[in-house]
Amino acid sequence: MSARDTVLATIRSSLGVTGSETPRRTAIEARLSLHPRGVVPKRGDRPAPSRMKLFQTMVEGAHGTTVELASPERVPAAVADYLRSKNLPMAVRRGSDPRLDAIPWQNERALGVSSGHSDGSDLVSVSHALGAVAETGTLVLVSGPDNPTTLNFLPDHHLVVVDAKDIAGDYETVWDAIRARFGAGKMPRTVNWITGPSRSADIEQTHLLGAHGPRSLHVLIVGEP
Amino acid sequence: MTLRVTSPQFKENARRALADRQLQKALGNVEQNFIEKRRQVAAKLPEFDLLRDAARDLKDHTLAHLDLYLEAYERRVTAAGGQVHWAVTAEEACGVVLDICQRLGARLVTKGKSMISEEIGLNDFLLSHDIAAVETDLGEYIIQLRHEPPSHIIAPAVHLNKEQIEADFRRVHTGFPAERNLEEPTSLLAEARSVLREKFLAADVGITGANFLVAETGTSIIVTNEGNGDLTQTLPKAHIVLASVDKMVPTLEDVSLFLRLLARSATGQEMSVYTTFSTGPRRAGDPDGPGEYHVVILDNGRSAMLGGEFREMLRCIRCGACMNHCPVYHAVGGHAYGWVYPGPMGAVLTPSLVGIDKAGHLPNASMFCGRCEEVCPVRIPLPKLMRHWREREFERHLSPAAMRWGLGLWAAFARRPRLYRFATRIAMKMLSLLSLGFGRFRWLPFARGWTKYRNFPAPEGVTFQAAWKRREKKA
C-alpha cells in the first residue's frame, strides 16, 4: 500500500467512514464551490472615505507610512520625495504592471527607473497592489509576468501603489476580486498579504524592523476612495 | 532520525531550569510581553470570541471530512503544476525531501520555520547526507548555531538573552572584525541579515512549513514577520512545503477566519507582516519564483488521533497562546518538556506522538488553572485532555506506586460519605489546632513534596461540606 493509501485508510478507519458516502461528498463539494463567508468583523464595514482612513491608521499601526495622491501623475514626484527624505540614491526598480507603465516617470528627470525582478542589489522597489484591506492595514499583491515577487522582499525600501477605490473593508471582498480575475478555484502563483515592514522580536522580545525583508514600507494611495 | 526525547527526565529538566538564572531572566519576557499584547488586541475586536467559536466548529467540520478535503486539495495542487507527496512516518518524510534534493544536486538548503521539520529531525538527516540546511528565521538560526531545539513554537530562542546570542555570533561569524560592537539587538540583527542574505541567494532548495493548506485552491500558506520564509521559497530552484494532515482548511474564506485569530493569539498583532499564499511553481512568463513546488503531507500518528479522545487536539493552529499563559511554562521554559512541542499543547500532543510511557510527566505538569483553555483560539479543552492522559497512565499502571496507593486510599474514603465526613472533620480540627494559629505549616509528615518548596495553608477548622450545610440552613 502506498503512503497515500495508508494515510487515507487510517483517517477513514478512525472516522468510521469509507470515503464514498454521498452526504459527506455533497457537504464538501458544496463548501468548496459556495465558499460561504463566516464571521466578518464589522470594523471595515464603513463608507469608502472612512475605510481609507482606517486603512491608513492600521498601516501606520504596523509601522508603515502612507501618502495620499490625487492622481497617478503625482506618483513620480512622491517617490522622489520619499527617496530624498531618506537620503537614498534616485533609483527604483519596478515591475511592468500596466498601471505602473502608464505612470509618467519621465516627469521626474532625476529619478532612474528600471524594471524587472530583483537580484538583491536594489535598494528601493515600487509595486502595484491588487488591492488592500482596511481591517488590518493589509496590502494584497499578486505575482505574475508583470509583478515580480522578489521586489516585495529583497529591497530595503518597498513602495506600494494602491488605488484608493481598491481598498476593501475585509479579506473576503478581496477573495471575490481574485476569483473574478483568475477563475473559481484558481490562484496566481503567489498572493502576498503585506502588513507593515519586515520585523523580528526573536532577540529578548525586542521589536526590530528590517529583519530579512524591507526595513520600511511606504504606501502611495492614488485617487478618490 | 527524530529529535532525542528527554521527556522522561522532565523532573530533572525542570529542576535544572528553575536553578538557571539566565533562563529565568529570559522567561520573564514571555510573561510580560505576550499576555498583555494579546489581551489588548483581542479587546479591540468585538467579534473575537465569535471568531473562536466559528474556528472551533470549522475545524471540527474539516476533521470530520479530512479524507475528502485532502483528496480535493491534492487534485488542485496537481492542476497547478505542483506535486503532493505523502508520508506515514518521520523517516518517510525525510526520505522524500532527500530524494528531491539529491535529484536537483542540492548542497545548500534554506529553511523557513517549521515545527514539522523539528518533529522529523530533518536538518540532522540532511546533514548526514552532506546537504547543509540553514535555518533563516532569526530565532531558529540562533538556536541552530547552538545545536539546540526550539523552546517555544513561535519564539524558538525565547530562552536566550542577548549576551548569549552575541557570544554565539562571535564564535560562528568569523569573517567579521573582532572589535565590532554587538551590544545592541539591532547590530545582532544586522549581522544575521547580512550572513543570511548570502544564503538566500545561494540556496538550491527552499523548505518551509505551512500554517494552512487550502483545499479549494491547492494553496499552502506561511505566516511570518521577518520575510525569511518568502525569500526561502522564492529564490531557489524548488520549494518544498512540509505540512501535517491537520493543516487542512476548506476555502479561502475559511482560512481568513483562522488568520484573524492566529497573529492576535500568538504575538498580539492585528495581522502578521507577511501572509503568503503559494499555489504551484513558477508560471509561464513569471520573472521569478521556484521552478518546482512540492508538498510533503505528513501523518506521523495524527490520523490515529482522529478516532480517539484526543481528536480535539488536532484543531490546534500552533499559535503558542497556551504556553504564553501557562504558569508551568513560565517557570521551567520549553526545553524541560523534552521534545518539540512544549507547554499545555505539548503536554497533550507529545504523549500522542511519542507515547505516554515516555511523556507521562508532561500531562502531570499542570495545576489545571485553565488559562490555556481560556485563551485557546480554537477552544481546545487542554486541561480535560491532560486529565485523559493521566487516566490512561493510571489504567496502564504507569503512575508511581505511592500515587496509586494514595489515590486508592482516597477513593475508598470518597465512596463512603459518612466515613469521609467524619474523618475530614477530625482532620480539619486537628490541623487547625496543630497550626498553633500561624495559619500555615512549614512541615507536615507525608507532605514533604509540598512543604519542601512552600508552606501548606492550615484549615480554619470546619470542612467545606460543613460550612456549606450551615449556609444552606441559614438561607
Side-chain angles (χ1 to χ4, degrees):
Chain A
M1 212 154 73
S2 70
R4 179 184 190 277
D5 294 342
T6 307
V7 173
L8 291 174
T10 319
I11 291 174
R12 288 184 174 133
S13 111
S14 285
L15 294 174
V17 298
T18 63
S20 49
E21 294 90 347
T22 313
R24 292 179 79 239
R25 294 210 165 258
T26 318
I28 76 136
E29 274 153 27
R31 186 157 200 107
L32 293 179
S33 57
L34 301 174
H35 43 79
R37 287 186 180 193
V39 179
V40 179
K42 296 242 178 348
R43 186 193 277 176
D45 182 13
R46 48 175 89 192
S50 152
R51 206 158 64 217
M52 186 170 104
K53 287 290 165 223
L54 173 64
F55 172 70
Q56 288 177 286
T57 308
M58 296 309 287
V59 169
E60 283 150 21
H63 308 284
T65 50
T66 64
V67 60
E68 292 173 47
L69 304 173
S71 69
E73 287 73 42
R74 305 283 177 90
V75 169
V79 170
D81 283 348
Y82 178 85
L83 298 179
R84 274 186 222 106
S85 74
K86 301 272 174 186
N87 254 332
L88 290 162
M90 295 300 264
V92 296
R93 185 89 169 161
R94 68 172 177 89
S96 45
D97 188 290
R99 289 165 297 186
L100 291 178
D101 279 345
I103 288 172
W105 297 100
Q106 66 284 356
N107 291 358
E108 199 63 37
R109 295 251 175 104
L111 184 64
V113 181
S114 61
S115 59
H117 72 282
S118 179
D119 61 3
S121 60
D122 310 290
L123 274 178
V124 185
S125 60
V126 180
S127 307
H128 205 295
L130 173 119
V133 181
E135 185 182 339
T136 46
T138 300
L139 292 158
V140 180
L141 287 85
V142 295
S143 69
D146 305 332
N147 288 292
T149 309
T150 39
L151 293 183
N152 304 344
F153 296 99
L154 281 170
D156 277 13
H157 299 262
H158 191 201
L159 278 57
V160 182
V161 183
V162 63
D163 288 341
K165 62 176 173 40
D166 291 336
I167 299 174
D170 46 61
Y171 311 122
E172 284 79 353
T173 306
V174 177
W175 291 133
D176 283 344
I178 285 184
R179 285 194 190 99
R181 188 163 150 191
F182 295 89
K186 301 227 169 62
M187 287 275 271
R189 177 179 60 79
T190 311
V191 177
N192 290 117
W193 285 8
I194 299 178
T195 312
S198 162
R199 62 189 240 181
S200 176
D202 274 341
I203 302 171
E204 294 190 345
Q205 300 286 292
T206 318
H207 282 289
L208 305 171
L209 297 184
H212 291 294
R215 299 168 202 271
S216 61
L217 175 78
H218 186 54
V219 186
L220 302 96
I221 304 169
V222 174
E224 296 294 318
Chain B
M1 191 182 294
T2 46
L3 188 70
R4 202 169 67 88
V5 184
T6 71
S7 309
Q9 292 95 52
F10 177 79
K11 288 189 177 179
E12 291 88 72
N13 293 348
R15 205 164 290 141
R16 208 173 318 121
L18 287 166
D20 184 339
R21 293 175 72 176
Q22 281 274 21
L23 175 67
Q24 292 300 323
K25 186 174 152 225
L27 286 172
N29 296 327
V30 175
E31 203 173 344
Q32 272 180 20
N33 281 298
F34 284 121
I35 295 180
E36 183 54 19
K37 281 186 187 144
R38 178 199 169 276
R39 196 190 60 74
Q40 285 178 8
V41 81
K44 276 191 219 157
L45 192 67
E47 296 88 351
F48 192 69
D49 282 333
L50 278 177
L51 287 164
R52 293 172 65 201
D53 292 339
R56 172 199 58 208
D57 297 345
L58 182 57
K59 271 283 178 181
D60 285 345
H61 162 83
T62 312
L63 291 170
H65 299 83
L66 188 58
D67 52 330
L68 302 179
Y69 280 125
L70 282 166
E71 286 178 341
Y73 167 78
E74 184 184 35
R75 281 195 292 277
R76 285 296 183 188
V77 174
T78 313
Q83 210 180 328
V84 175
H85 310 260
W86 301 73
V88 179
T89 62
E91 290 73 21
E92 281 181 25
C94 284
V96 170
V97 174
L98 179 66
D99 286 347
I100 298 168
C101 290
Q102 287 183 333
R103 182 171 51 76
L104 294 170
R107 315 245 38 98
L108 177 65
V109 170
T110 44
K111 293 187 65 213
K113 198 178 132 29
S114 155
M115 291 310 294
I116 297 295
S117 166
E118 300 287 344
E119 183 180 323
I120 66 176
L122 184 62
N123 292 358
D124 287 344
F125 177 80
L126 289 177
L127 193 62
S128 71
H129 291 85
D130 293 323
I131 297 170
V134 179
E135 294 291 346
T136 63
D137 169 85
L138 181 59
E140 286 281 343
Y141 175 70
I142 292 166
I143 60 164
Q144 188 180 31
L145 296 182
R146 302 171 63 85
H147 307 287
E148 284 178 359
S151 69
H152 188 290
I153 61 170
I154 65 156
V158 77
H159 58 291
L160 297 172
N161 295 302
K162 66 176 194 287
E163 292 75 20
Q164 294 166 289
I165 299 167
E166 177 181 350
D168 290 317
F169 279 18
R170 288 193 186 280
R171 173 173 57 81
V172 180
H173 299 162
T174 46
F176 292 83
E179 66 279 8
R180 69 195 186 281
N181 188 335
L182 286 178
E183 255 172 52
E184 290 304 314
T186 43
S187 46
L188 291 168
L189 175 71
E191 185 164 307
R193 180 182 167 113
S194 71
V195 170
L196 287 168
R197 194 44 87 87
E198 288 173 29
K199 306 282 185 196
F200 284 127
L201 294 165
D204 305 298
V205 170
I207 301 177
T208 68
N211 291 87
F212 305 99
L213 304 174
V214 182
E216 179 196 358
T217 51
T219 300
S220 62
I221 296 170
I222 57 167
V223 175
T224 79
N225 278 325
E226 298 182 4
N228 64 305
D230 291 280
L231 292 169
T232 296
Q233 69 173 55
T234 306
L235 299 172
K237 286 180 261 192
H239 174 202
I240 304 177
V241 179
L242 303 174
S244 51
V245 288
D246 49 319
K247 300 291 178 185
M248 187 55 57
V249 170
T251 68
L252 295 169
E253 276 73 6
D254 295 336
V255 85
S256 307
L257 169 67
F258 291 115
L259 289 168
R260 285 188 174 108
L261 290 166
L262 180 58
R264 289 187 173 100
S265 301
T267 52
Q269 286 168 275
E270 292 278 352
M271 181 52 64
S272 305
V273 178
Y274 301 113
T275 304
T276 300
F277 304 75
S278 306
T279 314
R282 184 195 285 224
R283 310 261 167 98
D286 276 1
D288 49 23
E292 293 183 18
Y293 174 83
H294 301 270
V295 185
V296 183
I297 297 187
L298 174 75
D299 185 339
N300 212 20
R302 290 169 175 80
S303 59
M305 285 171 70
L306 266 180
E309 55 198 346
F310 299 103
R311 175 155 158 185
E312 288 167 296
M313 190 60 222
L314 295 174
R315 291 207 295 258
C316 179
I317 58 170
R318 306 288 189 268
C319 68
C322 59
M323 57 198 77
N324 291 342
H325 290 76
C326 177
V328 176
Y329 182 94
H330 292 160
V332 300
H335 285 161
Y337 290 80
W339 198 51
V340 179
Y341 302 104
M345 59 80 65
V348 176
L349 191 61
T350 306
S352 301
L353 301 184
V354 308
I356 186 67
D357 50 328
K358 282 190 193 148
H361 287 309
L362 307 189
N364 284 294
S366 165
M367 55 179 101
F368 286 166
C369 68
R371 280 163 92 179
C372 50
E373 183 175 358
E374 227 167 86
V375 296
C376 177
V378 285
R379 300 199 187 277
I380 300 172
L382 288 155
K384 182 186 94 179
L385 299 183
M386 282 188 256
R387 201 152 43 228
H388 283 332
W389 273 127
R390 293 186 188 185
E391 287 157 15
R392 288 242 186 140
E393 200 189 16
F394 188 80
E395 284 158 16
R396 290 185 49 191
H397 297 271
L398 290 168
S399 10
M403 184 177 154
R404 303 184 63 79
W405 269 90
L407 281 173
L409 199 65
W410 185 82
F413 263 115
R415 276 197 292 257
R416 294 172 177 79
R418 286 180 137 186
L419 179 65
Y420 183 87
R421 277 199 296 273
F422 177 73
T424 47
R425 209 172 63 219
I426 303 285
M428 290 305 112
K429 274 240 168 71
M430 292 293 288
L431 283 172
S432 175
L433 285 172
L434 283 172
S435 74
L436 306 172
F438 285 108
R440 60 180 192 275
F441 292 99
R442 301 179 65 147
W443 181 86
L444 267 181
F446 309 115
R448 291 272 317 281
W450 180 288
T451 54
K452 194 171 163 197
Y453 299 103
R454 44 206 162 335
N455 294 330
F456 187 85
E460 303 227 337
V462 257
T463 65
F464 172 78
Q465 290 192 347
W468 182 259
K469 212 174 230 173
R470 206 175 294 166
R471 230 180 92 129
E472 293 275 278
K473 256 187 204 157
K474 263 188 203 162

